[in-house]
Amino acid sequence: MKARIKFQKYGYMKFIGHLDVLRYFQKAFRRAGYDSEYTQGFNPHQIISFAAPLGVGLTSDAEYVDIGLRTCDTPETMVKKINEVLSEGFYVTGFHLLTEDSGNGKMASAMSLVASADYLVSLKDGCSLGNGILSCEEFRELFEKFYSKQDIIINKKTKKSEKMVNIKPMISFVAFDEKEYDAYLGCHLADLPKPVNNEKSYYLNAASKADAYENNIKVYMQLDTGSASNLKPELVMEAFCSDSGLEYNPYAWQVHRLEIYTRDDESKRLIPLDSVW
Amino acid sequence: MRKLALTDEVLLSVEKPARYIGGEVNMVVKDPNDVDIRFCICFPDVYEIGMSHLGIQILYDILNRREDTYCERVYSPWVDLDKLMRERDIPLFALESQEPVRDFDFLGFTLQYEMCYTNILQVLELSKIPVYANERTEDDPIVIGGGPCSYNPEPIADFFDFFYIGEGEAAYNNFLDLYKECKKAGKSKREYLELVSQIEGIYVPSFYDVEYNEDGTINSFKKNYENAPDRVKKQIEMKLSEAYYPTKPLVPFIRVTQDRVVLEIQRGCIRGCRFCQAGMIYRPNRERDVEYLKKCANEMLKATGHEEISLSSLSSSDYSQLQELVYFLIDEFGSKGVNISLPSLRIDAFSLDVMGKVQDIRKSSLTFAPEAGTQRLRDVINKGLTEDAILNGAREAFQSGWNRVKLYFMMGLPTETEEDIEGIAVLSDKIARVYYEIPKEQRQGKVSIIASTSFFVPKPFTPFQWCRMDTPEEYIQKQRFLRSKINEQLNKKSIKFNWHEAELSELEGVLARGDRRLSRVIYDAYMFGCLYDSWSEHFNYDKWMKAFEKNGVSISFYNSRERHEDEMFPWDIIDAGVSKSFLLREYRRAKSGKTTPNCRELCYNCGAKKFGGGVCVGGFEMPNHADGINRNGSIKQEASNES
């Protein structure tokens, strides 16, 4: 059977790269006493994959992993037992058994579902924006000016090539405090069915693990994520800094992922990944 | 959540930040304020290497079982972090508490290979601890060393307060208890060192002044503290099945060299290969009980979640209950996707059956370590592997579907001739011929033979400790000769030839058999920028040569000189169990091409019997290959004939 897990990654676990996180979870399942499903052949390995790999240095409230299991308990027990063997910095908040018929007869991998993600980008304490910008109000003003542009063209570098890309259509919204962000979510997601705990799924209500900083300079953003269109929050911040005449220091910003969304085939709207499992 | 010693910016600008954050599964967490002794153990190499070392895991476990002690870890920062720490004046810290190493009571280095010596100085310097022991104050930690290289600690003696000669299980508690008493009584470091030198197995180098003869050899070890022992006796654990075993080893976040459960099935080796230091200093051979090992395997797999288990020993095939253990592991864990890895196995029907079950034959290769190319030279080194055994093993393996063979040889062994070197090429070719004797329809494509040669480095406490070592020029010439001989073989296209760097081996030779005069050389090499010398991309031969030159120390004095039979060695202060007279007897037998049976066949009175256990007193099943020799038989007769 296949299961999808939602977990938080925070604290110094942000220094663990996503491939190592996969290895970590493989071992964690073994420690919790569950047998995983293996690929066939002489060099069997566990079947496990991420929805959207998170870069080193980033934290998250919403990491999704699909894993094949041969033995399993109720979703509630699974969440409890796995959390018992996890290090501080990892915390499972949801477990869902995937069934063959969810989707169109075939199991869709978490990765294939991803369309968008919410991020909170905060200025770390001890870092400054430069140019005498001190308050979050000044930051907001600058960022709004940047976001109000018709087009935001950046030079997107890949391993092979560079090209000019307009990233503006890849940003669905921005907000500057929790209230605004919650309000946006409230009006877009209010009608979705509330998660239920049953024999297939289990949800834990966990407070966000995003680090808070005294300077309060931060921005919430919803960005295209996934194979069709992908925009990293770091690129937005770099573009913002260069546009506003600020020096971009990649280490000054803490990026925290808040949620991952899939796009509903019919309504075309974005739905959190754990609302469709 | 613990506070990290390094900022986000530093961690995100170095390779693999997980090397420096600690927090691994099974890490021991204590409040440093609640303990009497803070102990930092160091493997002076990069994290991935150090974390793979079983000894550290054992020590970490033993020390942390003490409620009054918090044992933490530190490894060599990689060169990227090294640079940042110097630029920003960041002191080196232990992984657990992330607090400066300098605040600890002890800093203990495990000395696994000579080429890590500059890394020791790096760790000391980054910790802001003076590198020379005599420049340290009461505020600095006590710096100690242990492990195989401590059997000749002289080249690094000036950097250490004391060495512990022996196995971690045996005597750590004694000197920690003593430390606690001394600390409470407000005694000075000097007073502690005087007291600790009375514990068996402890060597305090500063209590001895070395006097040299005119020809540069050692005249005497003159005690400057009268109560210091004349010789320091190795301490070992005799009850390995009752000893602590770390059943909850640390599980690193990043992939390390040994990313698996390591089960040490026995210590020591019965074989007595004359070039092998481990085979001598870990005597006597002691096996762990198979039921104990089964229990450990279970607990460790459960506590780590590892998907692989590996058996560790110098010669697994000699473990008397190997079959029972291996089939247990396969039955119990094979179905759960746990890989079983079996290094150092003799190729026979049993090992082929096991390997066929646990590995993909198409991907794996057979490994033989003939070490020398001819039977004559294999007799000299007492490597009991015959050409027939190799060819028959290879034939059976080829018939079972293997087509890749790895061969390990040494060049520069004592008494080596051109014929012996050519023998490497000839043996490689013979193995390939065996493959093509098999009917074509049974073969799996082409055969591939990988012949690797390393350069022989004479080590202390081996019968070859008196030997002259070849110079790099001689090595390179031999390597070219072998290359040309391989090219003369019928199956030359199936033979791939690898070799080690000669310059690195030369240096290893000096450091292995060196004396105290080398500490200045090591220090200067480090100051010139030498670090991570065992990493070929970082090894800088020219800087080392500059350091030798600066100090007027000659490499040839240490390497290119056949030592006199009664020469006093720097390591004679250490009593490793095997006696110098036994080693000399073995050296003479080697030179006349006589082999010596293994410990189970016949006791050759090496000296390890005085530990009163292990193979020396029996307690094992007779292996079926002991060909009827009465193992209680004495060799006194023969020994006296020799002398």
Side-chain angles (χ1 to χ4, degrees), chain A residues 205-220:
Chain A
N205 253 329
S208 171
K209 293 295 200 300
D211 286 329
Y213 300 96
E214 273 175 26
N215 63 52
N216 217 21
I217 292 178
K218 61 184 177 186
V219 56
Y220 292 82

Side-chain angles (χ1 to χ4, degrees), chain A residues 57-78:
Chain A
L58 280 64
T59 54
S60 175
D61 283 328
E63 291 306 284
Y64 291 90
V65 149
D66 288 352
I67 183 164
L69 289 170
R70 286 202 309 208
T71 56
C72 196
D73 273 318
T74 64
E76 184 176 358
T77 312
M78 292 299 287

Side-chain angles (χ1 to χ4, degrees), chain B residues 53-272:
Chain B
H53 184 244
L54 178 64
I56 290 267
Q57 298 261 12
I58 292 178
L59 219 50
Y60 186 74
D61 183 59
I62 293 174
L63 296 178
N64 277 318
R65 278 170 200 252
R66 290 176 66 108
E67 263 184 34
D68 62 356
T69 305
Y70 189 11
C71 175
E72 307 186 33
R73 295 159 297 141
V74 68
Y75 302 97
S76 289
W78 189 241
V79 288
D80 52 358
L81 181 61
D82 176 292
K83 187 163 170 275
L84 285 177
M85 291 177 85
R86 288 169 201 271
E87 279 170 12
R88 302 179 183 207
D89 201 27
I90 304 168
L92 187 59
F93 53 90
L95 293 182
E96 276 75 5
S97 65
Q98 300 274 312
E99 290 175 3
V101 172
R102 190 168 184 261
D103 296 345
F104 281 63
D105 296 289
F106 285 95
L107 171 57
F109 288 93
T110 178
L111 309 168
Q112 295 295 317
Y113 32 84
E114 293 82 5
M115 300 316 292
C116 73
Y117 289 170
T118 52
N119 281 57
I120 296 172
L121 303 191
Q122 176 215 25
V123 167
L124 288 170
E125 194 181 33
L126 290 177
S127 304
K128 300 180 184 296
I129 299 169
V131 293
Y132 283 106
N134 62 12
E135 289 171 8
R136 290 184 206 129
T137 67
E138 296 290 324
D139 296 333
D140 292 304
I142 293 169
V143 178
I144 67 176
C149 290
S150 65
Y151 286 80
N152 177 23
E154 289 301 285
I156 46 173
D158 290 351
F159 311 126
F160 284 81
D161 293 303
F162 68 85
F163 294 93
Y164 166 57
I165 315 298
E167 295 171 354
E169 291 91 343
Y172 261 81
N173 284 333
N174 303 346
F175 70 75
L176 290 181
D177 289 342
L178 177 68
Y179 178 79
K180 203 167 126 183
E181 275 171 41
C182 289
K183 198 176 172 184
K184 275 197 183 124
K187 289 206 160 83
S188 69
K189 188 182 274 185
R190 166 80 196 188
E191 286 170 299
Y192 173 65
L193 289 178
E194 286 180 2
L195 289 167
V196 87
S197 73
Q198 304 305 301
I199 295 176
E200 285 207 325
I202 305 288
Y203 170 52
V204 182
S206 61
F207 288 168
Y208 305 83
D209 296 315
V210 184
E211 294 184 343
Y212 299 93
N213 297 314
E214 260 178 42
D215 64 1
T217 57
I218 290 172
N219 179 274
S220 66
F221 267 68
K222 208 170 171 192
K223 286 190 260 183
N224 61 40
Y225 169 61
E226 56 177 347
N227 293 332
D230 295 333
R231 287 188 83 198
V232 179
K233 193 180 161 198
K234 170 180 90 167
Q235 302 297 299
I236 59 171
E237 175 60 56
M238 295 312 296
K239 294 174 184 159
L240 279 182
S241 297
E242 290 163 35
Y244 299 132
Y245 199 74
T247 48
K248 286 187 175 176
L250 290 149
V251 186
F253 291 111
I254 51 175
R255 199 181 280 282
V256 299
T257 317
Q258 286 263 22
D259 187 29
R260 53 185 77 93
V261 165
V262 179
L263 197 59
E264 187 195 36
I265 57 176
Q266 60 182 346
R267 220 169 267 178
C269 180
I270 59 169
R271 295 279 150 186

Side-chain angles (χ1 to χ4, degrees), chain A residues 115-126:
Chain A
S116 182
D118 290 352
Y119 294 95
L120 166 61
V121 184
S122 320
L123 185 70
K124 293 179 194 174
D125 283 335

